[in-house]
Amino acid sequence: MNGPRFNEWIVSPKVRVIDHEGENLGVMYTREAMAAAQELGLDLVEVSPNADPPVAKYLDVGKFKYEAQKKANLARKSQKTQEIKEIKMRPNIDDHDYDTKMKKVAEFIEEGDKVKVTMRFRGRELSHGQLGMAVLHRVAEQTSEIAKIEAHPRMEGRQMLMVTAPK
């Protein structure tokens, strides 16, 4: 059975009862509380099973499950997943191209995403790793206000990677 225990499925002999208007009726035997709930046309639903004694309420079980499901769906809809966006650069990138890419980096970080900056080397550029490192350090300096460096620049084959995340 999924969801809260109700009526016959409540295992404890005594429960603290709260009526349908939110009034605390005190500790009662589970059977008595169930009978009282049925007189009102409601179910006895265990809302806090870990308390001592467990807390039970007079509710309509179907409505209670429906509300809980709606709440869970809303929570799932409103949660933000963090993505990793990638920006690719070259060691001899020109100023205007660099500025355009930096605007995108800032935009991604403002949206709450991580940014992986990839420096790609071709041919003889590989022997000038310090140029790529200089560009990545420049990126780190410019984003230091809004982001922290999660993975410092490192070489992986023919490319150098760095990951920044929102502060």
Side-chain angles (χ1 to χ4, degrees):
M1 184 177 113
N2 58 349
R5 290 187 288 226
F6 61 96
N7 295 346
E8 309 76 56
W9 287 285
I10 297 176
V11 289
S12 57
K14 287 185 176 183
V15 288
R16 180 174 305 279
V17 180
I18 296 168
D19 74 359
H20 59 290
E21 289 157 2
E23 294 292 317
N24 188 348
L25 304 179
V27 178
M28 299 168 76
Y29 285 103
T30 306
R31 277 201 183 80
E32 290 173 21
M34 247 187 323
Q38 283 171 347
E39 280 175 29
L40 292 166
L42 297 169
D43 302 297
L44 185 69
V45 181
E46 200 172 43
V47 289
S48 181
N50 300 331
D52 189 33
V55 178
K57 245 181 179 175
Y58 294 158
L59 294 168
D60 178 2
V61 116
K63 190 175 180 182
F64 181 72
K65 281 184 176 178
Y66 173 72
E67 294 292 333
Q69 188 179 9
K70 261 177 57 173
K71 204 180 290 182
N73 285 346
L74 188 67
R76 189 168 41 249
K77 192 179 356 178
S78 64
Q79 92 185 158
K80 171 80 173 94
T81 56
Q82 193 175 49
E83 293 180 39
I84 296 185
K85 305 282 188 167
E86 186 174 16
I87 294 286
K88 294 180 180 174
M89 295 185 179
R90 299 278 311 281
N92 55 350
I93 190 168
D94 202 38
D95 288 338
H96 184 267
D97 296 339
Y98 175 82
D99 294 339
T100 307
K101 300 231 183 218
M102 285 310 294
K103 277 184 195 155
K104 277 314 236 184
V105 167
E107 192 180 301
F108 292 149
I109 289 173
E110 309 264 313
E111 287 173 10
D113 295 324
K114 292 181 181 182
V115 179
K116 177 169 142 188
V117 184
T118 306
M119 181 66 54
R120 300 174 81 195
F121 294 96
R122 281 198 189 141
R124 284 183 231 140
E125 290 174 347
L126 206 53
S127 59
H128 299 290
Q130 74 279 2
L131 294 176
M133 189 62 88
V135 174
L136 289 179
H137 281 304
R138 189 169 151 202
V139 170
E141 279 175 34
Q142 280 193 336
T143 59
S144 63
E145 302 281 315
I146 55 172
K148 61 181 184 285
I149 295 178
E150 202 167 78
H152 290 279
R154 67 179 190 281
M155 283 300 290
E156 266 186 28
R158 291 192 152 269
Q159 49 191 17
M160 193 179 283
L161 305 173
M162 176 175 84
V163 180
T164 60
K167 275 190 175 173

